[in-house]
Amino acid sequence: MKPIGILGGTFDPIHYGHLRLAEEMLELAQLQQIRFIPAGIPPHRDTPQVSAQHRSAMVKLAIADQPAFVLDEREVNGANKCYTVDTLHQLRSELGETQPICLLMGGDAFLQLHTWHEWEQILTLAHIVVGYRPGFTLEKRIHNAAPQLYQHYRQRLCSVNLLSQQPAGGIAELAIPKLEISATMIRNRVAENRTIRYLLPATVANYIYQHHLYTPC
Ligand code: ATP
């Protein structure tokens, strides 16, 4: 059964770094679909600069021409902080016990995984697929930054080709060139009245300008 990918983020705003990560993972992990799940009130970081509705609308515009990408608004519709573990519980009950589910993330996010709410349970609800820069050794960084995570990483590390054979529990790494783009960079550039062209889809850039997002009041 082809795995379903889940890409969570604040998407404040979504940009080509996110989209290339998703596109590469769709291909390399042979996923049937990727669900983009914008965080409502993210538990792990500062409150996003713009509302969940705006962030969600930008994701919808950004993925409009890729049929394998789907917007899932379950977290933006909730009024409370929403933890990834709760979202995965919901998805598991909707998709069934046997459907492989892959939680997708960049290497920077993976190095923080042990700080997430009930992170060990996350590892039993989904596989994790980590994108890392080619030529970059993730193992040493995990060993130094997160010894608790390192044990799981060593035990669960497997080839991406095996993820379709189990519903959850594996960790796979994919070498994916990282575009040096971040949402912070885009927010700062808009605030400084600098160009954001080619950092994100033109439809998203137009949305930002139409709604006067990220401009100082
Ligand atoms: P911010 O600058 O506000 O911190 P961000 O651009 O890092 O935001 P997030 O929404 O926090 O975006 O990231 C969601 C996911 O996308 C994370 O798993 C992160 O590792 C990954 N990601 C973000 N930027 C890139 C990029 N340029 N290339 C690959 N993956 C990325």
Side-chain angles (χ1 to χ4, degrees):
M1 212 188 292
K2 276 186 160 193
I4 290 181
I6 305 295
L7 183 61
T10 39
F11 303 123
D12 190 22
I14 189 165
H15 53 70
Y16 280 135
H18 301 128
L19 292 165
R20 280 300 309 168
L21 178 76
E23 183 72 14
E24 294 264 8
M25 286 188 164
L26 181 74
E27 180 179 63
L28 296 172
Q30 298 186 43
L31 306 174
Q32 56 170 286
Q33 172 190 86
I34 295 182
R35 297 193 184 195
F36 285 67
I37 309 191
I41 304 168
H44 302 288
R45 48 177 295 159
D46 296 340
T47 309
Q49 281 203 9
V50 307
S51 70
Q53 284 64 33
H54 279 315
R55 291 182 288 108
S56 197
M58 290 189 279
V59 171
K60 193 171 185 181
L61 288 170
I63 65 176
D65 60 358
Q66 169 48 293
F69 291 175
V70 175
L71 171 63
D72 184 326
E73 294 189 289
R74 71 184 65 227
E75 292 191 9
V76 300
N77 293 330
N80 300 321
K81 284 193 177 184
C82 190
Y83 293 104
T84 301
V85 69
D86 301 326
T87 299
L88 288 174
H89 270 300
Q90 280 178 21
L91 286 166
R92 179 53 70 205
S93 65
E94 289 164 23
L95 298 170
E97 289 303 313
T98 54
Q99 171 64 53
I101 298 176
C102 295
L103 186 60
L104 315 176
M105 60 184 78
D108 54 341
F110 184 68
L111 288 171
Q112 299 293 323
L113 186 70
H114 61 292
T115 65
W116 294 18
H117 183 60
E118 296 189 13
W119 66 276
E120 285 177 295
Q121 216 186 114
I122 290 175
L123 296 168
T124 67
L125 289 163
H127 300 298
I128 310 274
V129 183
V130 191
Y132 69 99
R133 291 162 204 256
F136 182 93
T137 344
L138 203 53
E139 179 167 358
K140 200 169 167 196
R141 296 197 57 171
I142 301 168
H143 186 263
N144 294 340
Q148 345 49 331
L149 181 57
Y150 186 71
Q151 302 297 332
H152 285 281
Y153 168 81
R154 288 301 302 266
Q155 283 162 10
R156 296 171 183 275
L157 194 61
C158 66
S159 158
V160 75
N161 301 322
L162 296 178
L163 300 180
S164 58
Q165 295 174 20
Q166 295 288 334
I171 296 178
E173 299 175 331
L174 291 175
I176 296 177
K178 186 176 185 213
L179 299 182
E180 290 303 330
I181 303 173
S182 70
T184 306
M185 174 208 274
I186 293 169
R187 293 194 300 272
N188 290 342
R189 292 180 80 97
V190 176
E192 292 162 10
N193 216 10
R194 297 181 62 198
T195 174
I196 54 170
R197 190 187 294 213
Y198 308 132
L199 296 174
L200 71 180
T203 48
V204 179
N206 290 338
Y207 185 97
I208 289 172
Y209 295 130
Q210 270 165 20
H211 295 269
H212 308 289
L213 307 183
Y214 309 120
T215 46
C217 345

